[in-house]
Amino acid sequence: MAKKSARSKGYRTYKKEEKGFTKGEIRTMIIGFAVIVVALICVLVLPDAIESRHLLKVKDGAIVDAGDNWLIRNVGDSSKAKYRKIAEVNPADGYQLHETTAGVTDDLETMFYFEPTEDNADAAAQEYYVVAGSGEYDALVSNVYGYAAMLGEILEQSEIQTMDVGGRSASYFTVKFSVTDSSDEENPTTTYNQMGYMYVDADVKDNCVVICASNTGDSEDVFTDDAALVEVMTNAASQIVMAK
């Protein structure tokens, strides 16, 4: 598996600032952050006859005959929804499916959450999730990377790296940050977060698969080696079967 740097390797350090978010808000923010929509200058519109062959049917508010592990995304717009299967998602080694939820912006889109199996007590990630991203993998990772400061007080952020996963291009970066919940002024609490974001090239145009691995705790002791976190995402990516 070849690996190359999309930019110079290294880490950046930043001055800490205090922000107030609850733990629930942190998780929601992290999920939404990973799939920031890229504003494309031009959008290719396929002829309906060609596109319709790939669209999924919807009946009574549900996707017809969808597989349990199908990663589904609305490739249409607010006026006309068009659902497509982006990939089939399978667990990384040492992980199991924990939860399947609707997407960030659409109830018929899908997200998959995975947790370590019982025999993987020393897992490098407490959890990882898989969701479809709107945009080509390399454009989306660059866009999201630039907004990392939205996450909280950045403690350390890697450069974007590019690798080959089973003959498919993927880009990723890692970031460590803290978020302070100051809703109780007398007893503010700080949560420490380590995230890995990987964006994998998909066969459906202007889409990619996003894998996000995470560790969260009340001190920096929750942090693990970044390389181990990346390995979890790489293994997860290797288990994904892209739809044509």
Side-chain angles (χ1 to χ4, degrees):
M1 179 169 63
K3 182 187 294 185
K4 59 182 179 180
S5 172
R7 302 182 184 179
S8 59
K9 295 182 177 179
Y11 294 89
R12 299 176 177 180
T13 56
Y14 299 81
K15 183 178 180 180
K16 299 182 181 180
E17 300 176 354
E18 185 171 291
K19 298 179 182 289
F21 296 98
T22 66
K23 290 184 178 180
E25 290 171 334
I26 293 171
R27 193 185 195 209
T28 301
M29 176 179 62
I30 289 170
I31 293 170
F33 170 81
V35 290
I36 291 173
V37 177
V38 176
L40 301 175
I41 296 176
C42 297
V43 178
L44 178 63
V45 179
L46 298 177
D48 289 342
I50 297 176
E51 185 184 43
S52 62
R53 292 184 302 173
H54 302 285
L55 297 180
L56 302 175
K57 295 181 180 180
V58 178
K59 183 178 181 180
D60 298 329
I63 303 293
V64 176
D65 297 328
D68 291 340
N69 67 336
W70 285 15
L71 188 62
I72 296 170
R73 200 180 81 78
N74 179 8
V75 298
D77 53 36
S78 57
S79 62
K80 186 176 182 180
K82 297 179 180 180
Y83 296 96
R84 287 197 63 173
K85 173 185 176 182
I86 306 301
E88 293 182 13
V89 179
N90 301 297
D93 294 341
Y95 286 80
Q96 61 189 2
L97 181 64
H98 168 60
E99 183 182 8
T100 302
T101 69
V104 177
T105 59
D106 192 301
D107 288 344
L108 296 187
E109 294 182 342
T110 49
M111 294 183 65
F112 298 93
Y113 294 84
F114 297 88
E115 63 181 4
T117 56
E118 291 183 1
D119 59 353
N120 189 20
D122 297 326
Q126 295 171 346
E127 178 185 69
Y128 78 86
Y129 67 79
V130 182
V131 64
S134 174
E136 298 295 340
Y137 81 100
D138 49 354
L140 189 52
V141 70
S142 295
N143 186 283
V144 170
Y145 184 86
Y147 286 94
M150 294 170 55
L151 288 169
E153 304 166 12
I154 303 299
L155 306 177
E156 189 177 87
Q157 182 178 352
S158 77
E159 299 294 339
I160 296 174
Q161 305 292 318
T162 299
M163 65 163 56
D164 180 285
V165 182
R168 192 173 294 276
S169 297
S171 293
Y172 67 90
F173 68 93
T174 59
V175 59
K176 298 182 180 76
F177 63 97
S178 64
V179 178
T180 299
D181 176 9
S182 54
S183 56
D184 183 345
E185 295 182 0
E186 295 184 359
N187 297 290
T189 58
T190 300
T191 302
Y192 293 84
N193 304 271
Q194 178 186 26
M195 313 297 301
Y197 294 96
M198 178 173 285
Y199 297 78
V200 186
D201 190 21
D203 290 329
V204 179
K205 183 176 174 60
D206 293 333
N207 286 268
C208 63
V209 173
V210 183
I211 302 169
C212 178
S214 63
N215 289 304
T216 301
D218 57 9
S219 75
E220 294 188 19
D221 291 341
V222 74
F223 296 160
T224 189
D225 181 60
D226 280 343
L229 201 67
V230 172
E231 182 58 34
V232 172
M233 296 188 294
T234 303
N235 190 276
S238 71
Q239 311 295 335
I240 291 172
V241 179
M242 298 294 182
K244 299 296 184 181

